[in-house]
Amino acid sequence: MDSEHTARECRPWSNFDGLGHLYHFRPEYPPRVAKQLRSMLSSSVGGNIIEVGAGTGLFTRSLAAVFGSSFRVLALEPNDDMRRHAETSTPGQMPITYANGVAESLPAEDASVQLIAAASAIHRFDRPLFFQEVRRVLQKNGVLALIQYQPYDRGSSFADRFLSIIERALPSYDRHRSSKPEGGYFEFDILADLQAEGALEDVRRDTFLFSEIIDWERFKNQALSFTTIQKAIGNKGKKAILSELSELFDRSQSAEKCVDMPFEVEVITARRV
């Protein structure tokens, strides 16, 4: 195995290098997600939150806004580019600290954290090591929350055709699979993982839909922020992928030159025994 491939396996976040500025074009996480988590911790008047794989802070800022200044948010992001964009995009008064860190080694004392959250990141963790850290740092009745959103293809021909562009360019990928930390794609059952954890209970999965009305520039840059699109570009070239995206947009746009992109949000939670 060559040294470059080994380095990529050791740094599963490296393929986000240079994508931080494109996350500005991604939709914000709907506030109802953070509000749901706050309601689960309604008896807590303050404390510590850790978000793992914080990226550019899209969900971090939602957490801080909903939980308020009595909670301190430590947002861990190992990718330097993403973390820099998170820091520059976050108002200074928000109770957020961004730090270089990973899911498998949380910088917190035992039983010191009320909430551990990961948004669109769990598939890139070493899950057994992460769950070991969750058991260690979560307080009794503390909450683990795993959140993600994806284009919703059922009932939307636009979202379906968008995902089909990626599938045609990446033979090993399909829309029901996630990126593995070491490269490639896999399917995993996070609910089953959590239900097998003896230290966690009340495992629950909630979903809801939201959509964005976006113009060509926002759609193009939003698409380019996906690592799967970047890999598709690696296989077919940027010109070819952008041409397919442009053709799809042109066929689907409204009279106002916009499209409706639907997303499904998944919120999986569990409590520390």
Side-chain angles (χ1 to χ4, degrees):
M1 184 180 294
D2 61 56
S3 59
E4 182 182 356
H5 183 72
T6 303
R8 282 198 302 270
E9 285 195 355
C10 295
R11 298 181 65 251
W13 54 88
S14 62
N15 58 1
F16 292 93
D17 290 347
L19 298 184
H21 68 288
L22 294 170
Y23 273 58
H24 170 72
F25 297 96
R26 285 200 174 189
E28 299 282 342
Y29 285 85
R32 67 179 281 185
V33 179
K35 289 177 181 177
Q36 175 183 331
L37 303 182
R38 183 66 184 99
S39 70
M40 294 180 70
L41 292 166
S42 58
S43 62
S44 297
V45 297
N48 298 311
I49 297 171
I50 294 180
E51 187 195 359
V52 193
T56 61
L58 285 174
F59 188 57
T60 319
R61 290 184 288 276
S62 182
L63 280 173
V66 168
F67 275 79
S69 60
S70 62
F71 285 85
R72 298 172 296 278
V73 182
L74 174 61
L76 302 178
E77 173 50 54
N79 184 281
D80 294 339
D81 177 50
M82 303 290 276
R83 196 170 62 254
R84 280 193 298 269
H85 281 277
E87 291 168 342
T88 58
S89 300
T90 298
Q93 70 271 21
M94 279 192 157
I96 297 172
T97 300
Y98 292 100
N100 184 4
V102 295
E104 299 80 9
S105 181
L106 301 179
E109 299 295 326
D110 295 358
S112 64
V113 175
Q114 281 85 359
L115 171 64
I116 297 174
S120 301
I122 182 65
H123 56 286
R124 291 181 176 266
F125 299 168
D126 181 318
R127 294 190 304 286
L129 288 180
F130 173 56
F131 292 145
Q132 180 177 304
E133 284 291 85
V134 168
R135 292 193 297 270
R136 181 180 69 81
V137 308
L138 262 189
Q139 293 182 354
K140 179 178 173 60
N141 293 320
V143 173
L144 170 65
L146 307 173
I147 305 99
Q148 65 176 349
Y149 62 67
Q150 297 180 358
Y152 184 71
D153 58 331
R154 284 168 286 179
S156 169
S157 59
F158 178 75
D160 175 64
R161 292 197 295 266
F162 169 66
L163 294 171
S164 294
I165 289 172
I166 304 173
E167 288 172 331
R168 287 194 299 271
L170 298 177
S172 63
Y173 169 81
D174 76 56
R175 65 193 66 186
H176 305 295
R177 309 181 82 190
S178 300
S179 301
K180 291 192 290 187
E182 67 273 19
Y185 305 94
F186 75 133
E187 291 185 48
F188 70 105
D189 187 343
I190 192 61
L191 279 175
D193 284 355
L194 295 181
Q195 289 164 348
E197 281 290 315
L200 297 173
E201 62 183 3
D202 298 332
V203 178
R204 171 178 169 179
R205 176 180 181 267
D206 297 292
T207 63
F208 65 91
L209 302 179
F210 75 97
S211 65
E212 276 202 323
I213 306 298
I214 54 179
D215 62 14
W216 162 245
E217 282 300 310
R218 186 169 182 86
F219 170 63
K220 177 185 71 175
N221 286 295
Q222 192 176 105
L224 290 173
S225 75
F226 288 100
T227 57
T228 48
I229 285 286
Q230 293 296 327
K231 291 174 184 177
I233 286 171
N235 279 358
K236 296 184 67 174
K238 188 171 184 177
K239 183 178 180 180
I241 294 298
L242 285 180
S243 177
E244 288 192 60
L245 293 175
S246 177
E247 181 182 354
L248 168 61
F249 186 91
D250 288 345
R251 290 203 314 267
S252 308
Q253 65 181 322
S254 66
E256 292 76 27
K257 299 187 183 302
C258 291
V259 296
D260 185 351
M261 173 65 95
F263 294 91
E264 180 179 49
V265 181
E266 177 184 66
V267 183
I268 296 176
T269 56
R271 284 193 184 274
R272 180 72 166 92
V273 174

